Amino acid sequence: MAFIKLYRKKLEENYEFLDRIFGSRGIRWGVVSKLLCGNEIYLKEIMALGVKEIHDSRVSNLRKIKALDPSILTVYIKPPAKRSIADIVKYADISFNTEIFTIQMLSDEALKQKKTHKIIIMIEMGDLREGVMGEELIDFYGKIISMPNIEIMGIGTNLNCLSGVMPTQDKLIQLSLYKQLIEAKFDISIPLVSGGTSVAVPLMLKNARPMAVNHFRIGEALFFGKDLFTGLTIEGMHNDVFKLYTEIIEITEKPDLPTGELGENVAGHTFEAEESSDLGTTSLRAILDVGLLDMQPQYSEPVDTDISIVDASSDMLVVDISNSKKNDKIGDLVAFNIQYMGALYLLNSEYIGKTIE
C-alpha cells in the first residue's frame, strides 16, 4: 500500500517560522486545514502545535475539529450552501459570506440555536471568485448590520485562487480603504481585515502589508514553505513536510515504444512518439502501487532525480529507473516530493496510508 508521511519536526519548524512572522507584526492568523481532508491523525498534529484558529471549506471537517477540541475557533472559508446552514451555525464559529439571502438564513438559524454567529464579508478584488462587488459594499453592509444573532467580525478578500491575481500592496491598501469607508459610514469599528492566504506571506517578509490588514489564512506556506510569487521555497522553511512512498511491484526491461494500433488510454490520452524515438530502444521500467485514482503525476517528483515518470493508469504508475544508481528490487519503496495539489489528491484517498515521522 502506498502511503503519505508527515514529518512532524519539519511541520513544527514551519509553524514556528510563520508564528514569529505574524506575531512580531501583531497579526492574527489561522491554519487552513482543508489539505488534510479531515484526517484526524494529522488534525491532532496541527492542534499539538498550539493552533487556536482553524479554517476549512468542509463542514464535516469542522465537526471533527470541534469534537477533538471544542475550544478551537473554527472558520468556514467559503460562502455557505443553503442546505448546510444548520451545521455551519453549529460547527463554525465564523463563516465567510457574500450573499444577503444566506446571511439572513444564518441569522434565523442562529436564533433557533440560541447562538451568535460571526461572519466576515468577502469583497471581490479582481480574482473573480467569491466576493461582494466594491460598489455594492456599503448598501450590502447596511442591509445586514442589524440582523439578529449575527456579528460582523470583519471584511476580507481572496486572491490568486481562480484567476491568479496576486495580493500586491496596492490590493491590500484598497482593502484597508474599504474598512475606513465602512467605519466612517456606519460609525463602527471593524475588528478584522483578512488579507488573504499563503500567497501574501512574501509581503509580510518585505514589510509591505498595510497596518490595517491584521488577519491571514495560511495553508500552503505551512505545509510546503512555498513563496507563491517566485515558486521557490521561503528561506528558513521546509518544502517537504509531506512525502509520498510507493512500492515497486514489477521491474522489467521493456521497449520504449508501444506496438499495435493506438487509441486513447484510460485518461483519454493518445501516445505520441518523439521524432527522435528509436523503435529498437528499451528502458528498465518499474511499476509502482499507486495510480490516477489517488494522485496526479504532474504534481509529484521522484526524490531520486535519476528516476523519471513515464505515465500512469488508474492504479499503477510507471517510472523509468534505467539511470538509477540504486539496486532497485521488488518491494523497495520509491519516494516522491509532492506539491500542494498532489498532496490534496493523496490525502483525499482512503487507499493511501497516512503516517507520521
Side-chain angles (χ1 to χ4, degrees), residues 49-321:
L49 298 171
V51 172
K52 303 300 182 186
E53 181 177 326
I54 298 182
H55 300 225
D56 211 297
S57 57
R58 308 287 181 179
V59 185
S60 59
N61 296 343
L62 297 181
R63 183 190 303 120
K64 288 182 180 179
I65 292 163
K66 281 297 189 185
L68 291 169
D69 185 351
S71 71
I72 294 285
L73 183 75
T74 51
V75 185
Y76 186 74
I77 53 173
K78 67 179 181 182
K82 179 179 179 179
R83 290 166 180 80
S84 300
I85 292 295
D87 282 343
I88 287 170
V89 171
K90 186 173 183 179
Y91 299 113
D93 298 306
I94 303 173
S95 63
F96 288 4
N97 283 270
T98 61
E99 291 286 348
I100 293 170
F101 177 77
T102 303
I103 299 170
Q104 183 62 65
M105 288 192 294
L106 290 168
S107 172
D108 295 342
E109 183 60 35
L111 192 61
K112 287 181 186 177
Q113 295 189 26
K114 298 180 180 179
K115 297 176 68 174
T116 295
H117 185 71
K118 299 174 181 178
I119 63 173
I120 290 177
I121 305 306
M122 299 300 283
I123 303 171
E124 171 57 58
M125 297 189 65
D127 200 50
L128 304 181
R129 205 177 72 172
E130 82 277 18
V132 178
M133 298 302 292
E135 60 269 24
E136 300 171 1
L137 183 59
I138 294 298
D139 182 59
F140 183 99
Y141 215 91
K143 290 177 179 177
I144 64 172
I145 195 168
S146 298
M147 284 188 182
N149 295 70
I150 293 292
E151 180 181 347
I152 305 173
M153 285 292 292
I155 59 174
T157 194
N158 196 75
L159 297 166
N160 192 241
C161 280
L162 185 66
S163 303
V165 175
M166 303 303 280
T168 60
Q169 187 177 35
D170 286 345
K171 288 286 185 186
L172 296 187
I173 289 173
Q174 185 181 351
L175 185 62
S176 301
L177 292 175
Y178 283 130
K179 166 185 162 69
Q180 295 176 21
L181 185 63
I182 294 168
E183 289 180 333
K185 174 68 177 178
F186 297 102
D187 191 24
I188 58 171
S189 176
I190 296 177
L192 294 180
V193 179
S194 192
T197 58
S198 293
V199 72
V201 171
L203 294 180
M204 304 303 102
L205 297 173
K206 296 176 182 177
N207 292 314
R209 176 257 333 179
M211 293 300 291
V213 179
N214 60 359
H215 181 263
F216 288 89
R217 302 99 60 188
I218 306 298
E220 188 167 0
L222 173 63
F223 297 113
F224 296 92
K226 190 173 183 180
D227 182 329
L228 295 174
F229 276 83
T230 65
L232 302 175
T233 303
I234 296 170
E235 186 177 353
M237 299 194 77
H238 301 284
N239 63 6
D240 55 352
V241 168
F242 286 109
K243 281 186 183 175
L244 168 66
Y245 290 88
T246 63
E247 186 175 327
I248 297 175
I249 56 177
E250 177 187 300
I251 299 177
T252 308
E253 187 84 22
K254 293 189 178 183
D256 289 331
L257 299 179
T259 55
E261 185 176 343
L262 297 177
E264 289 186 351
N265 65 12
V266 294
H269 303 145
T270 302
F271 182 86
E272 294 183 8
E274 298 179 4
E275 291 184 8
S276 59
S277 299
D278 186 339
L279 190 60
T281 60
T282 63
S283 56
L284 187 62
R285 295 186 172 199
I287 297 180
L288 309 177
D289 65 334
V290 69
L292 297 175
L293 181 63
D294 312 301
M295 56 92 76
Q296 295 295 307
Q298 67 268 34
Y299 302 123
S300 305
E301 182 179 347
V303 173
D304 182 349
T305 56
D306 292 324
I307 293 177
S308 60
I309 295 175
V310 177
D311 210 341
S313 62
S314 58
D315 293 300
M316 288 179 274
L317 178 69
V318 179
V319 295
D320 185 338
I321 60 172

